Amino acid sequence: MILTFKSRFLIFALLGGFLLFPLGALHAMTVSPVRVELNGDPGKTVTGTFKVFNEEKEARTLYTAFENFEASGETGSPSFKPGTEGLASWISAPRAVDVPAGQSTEVNFSVAIPANAEAGGYFAAIFVANVPPSNNPNEVVIGSRVGTLLLFRVNGDIEEGGSLLEFGTKDKQTFFTALPISFYYRFQNSGADRVFPKSSLTIKNTIGRTTTVLDANPAEGNVLPGSIRRFEVWWRDKDDSKSLTQGVPADLSFFETVSYQWNNFAFGRYSANLEIAYGTKGETVSK
């Protein structure tokens, strides 16, 4: 699907006066990859693997645990919940994993999909920790852990849906004195599986000529079902080494600021057009 939204703003140049995700540290233990994507049919069993690296000078025994996760707020950060149902309850893996000093161990796991599982996306994390999990749900186990995200799709007729809730510049500003300019948009996924918005932001000048086209999802973020995610992107000078991820450097002197603004010079009225492509059916929606 394609979503479009337009914003207009005015820029004047004045010289002078002026976002795997971390899962917790486990000493020198790491996992790879930090994200595994699998799919399967209801009633089938699917297998996968990841590696645990031990950079310490001693061998370690680690213990596996599984938790479902969902979106926390609009940042895209996961919120983990102990899994007594859902994807976390479908996963099987060795309870203990021995990792020799300075080496890696491959961890094999399987996902047994219930025959009555509904088509759509399911999300969990496979953790390895330095203490075994407790069988008592009311008991808190303190330890360190790392893990990999499992993004799983149960095959079938999956409902798709999404909408662009908001698009604009930071603080709704329409008048600027220099680049960079920070844009944001909020995308809602009303479908049954995660979506990866393929987004582009086209900047045109006063006469309608394209000035630049920006990747509006440079971090390749996904939006989980039933959630809203806020994305941010910067329009900066194309030669700026900080690319699209930051604003004006905070530690510049007065003359460095003047030089920075001169190098990021833009003048006149500009328009911004956001296009978001997602889904598998190729439908288009404009706004």
Side-chain angles (χ1 to χ4, degrees), residues 20 23 30-38 47-53 62-66 91-94 97 99 104-110 124-129 146-150:
L20 154 340
L23 291 176
T30 57
V31 298
S32 179
V34 297
R35 182 175 70 185
V36 177
E37 300 182 20
L38 295 173
T47 60
T49 185
F50 64 95
K51 287 185 177 182
V52 181
F53 296 85
L62 305 178
Y63 303 90
T64 58
F66 321 116
I91 304 172
S92 298
V97 179
V99 189
S104 65
T105 295
E106 192 170 81
V107 181
N108 297 310
F109 65 90
S110 62
I126 304 176
F127 290 108
V128 288
V146 293
T148 184
L149 295 180
L150 177 58

Side-chain angles (χ1 to χ4, degrees), residues 10-281:
L10 190 64
I11 302 174
F12 285 93
L14 301 179
L15 298 182
F18 292 44
L19 161 23
L20 154 340
F21 79 103
L23 291 176
L26 184 58
H27 303 294
M29 292 287 183
T30 57
V31 298
S32 179
V34 297
R35 182 175 70 185
V36 177
E37 300 182 20
L38 295 173
N39 66 84
D41 298 326
K44 301 295 183 179
T45 296
V46 179
T47 60
T49 185
F50 64 95
K51 287 185 177 182
V52 181
F53 296 85
N54 179 8
E55 299 174 10
E56 298 183 347
K57 296 181 180 180
E58 297 180 358
R60 295 289 183 183
T61 297
L62 305 178
Y63 303 90
T64 58
F66 321 116
E67 293 186 11
N68 296 313
F69 75 85
E70 58 188 27
S72 176
E74 298 186 5
T75 64
S77 299
S79 175
F80 300 100
K81 296 184 177 180
T84 57
E85 56 184 20
L87 178 57
S89 66
W90 306 350
I91 304 172
S92 298
R95 181 176 183 274
V97 179
D98 295 321
V99 189
Q103 298 183 40
S104 65
T105 295
E106 192 170 81
V107 181
N108 297 310
F109 65 90
S110 62
V111 180
I113 310 170
N116 61 348
E118 295 184 2
Y122 298 80
F123 313 97
I126 304 176
F127 290 108
V128 288
N130 58 359
V131 293
S134 172
N135 294 323
N136 184 350
N138 298 318
E139 184 178 61
V140 177
V141 178
I142 299 176
S144 298
R145 62 184 186 176
V146 293
T148 184
L149 295 180
L150 177 58
L151 310 181
F152 197 87
R153 177 184 292 113
V154 175
N155 298 330
D157 186 12
I158 299 175
E159 179 183 356
E160 295 182 341
S163 57
L164 179 63
L165 300 182
E166 197 174 1
F167 168 55
T169 56
K170 184 178 180 180
D171 299 325
K172 310 295 184 180
Q173 187 176 352
T174 58
F175 181 88
F176 301 87
T177 58
L179 299 180
I181 295 174
S182 174
F183 295 90
Y184 78 94
Y185 62 97
R186 299 170 64 238
F187 183 86
Q188 181 176 39
N189 178 8
S190 57
D193 193 11
R194 64 187 172 90
V195 297
F196 165 55
K198 298 179 181 178
S199 313
S200 62
L201 185 61
T202 302
I203 309 294
K204 293 186 177 183
N205 60 20
T206 303
I207 62 175
R209 183 170 297 174
T210 298
T211 300
T212 187
V213 178
L214 308 176
D215 182 354
N217 187 4
E220 299 185 351
N222 289 283
V223 187
L224 299 187
S227 70
I228 299 170
R229 183 162 181 175
R230 178 187 173 108
F231 295 84
E232 295 187 2
V233 61
W234 289 89
W235 176 24
R236 302 173 62 89
D237 178 75
K238 64 181 180 180
D239 296 324
D240 195 313
S241 61
K242 294 187 178 180
S243 186
L244 307 176
T245 60
Q246 300 179 23
V248 178
D251 56 350
L252 297 184
S253 68
F254 172 80
F255 292 104
E256 288 174 331
T257 301
V258 172
S259 176
Y260 181 90
Q261 290 186 344
W262 179 258
N263 291 329
N264 286 274
F265 180 89
F267 181 84
R269 184 178 297 274
Y270 287 76
S271 66
N273 183 71
L274 176 66
E275 292 188 352
I276 303 176
Y278 74 98
T280 60
K281 298 181 180 179

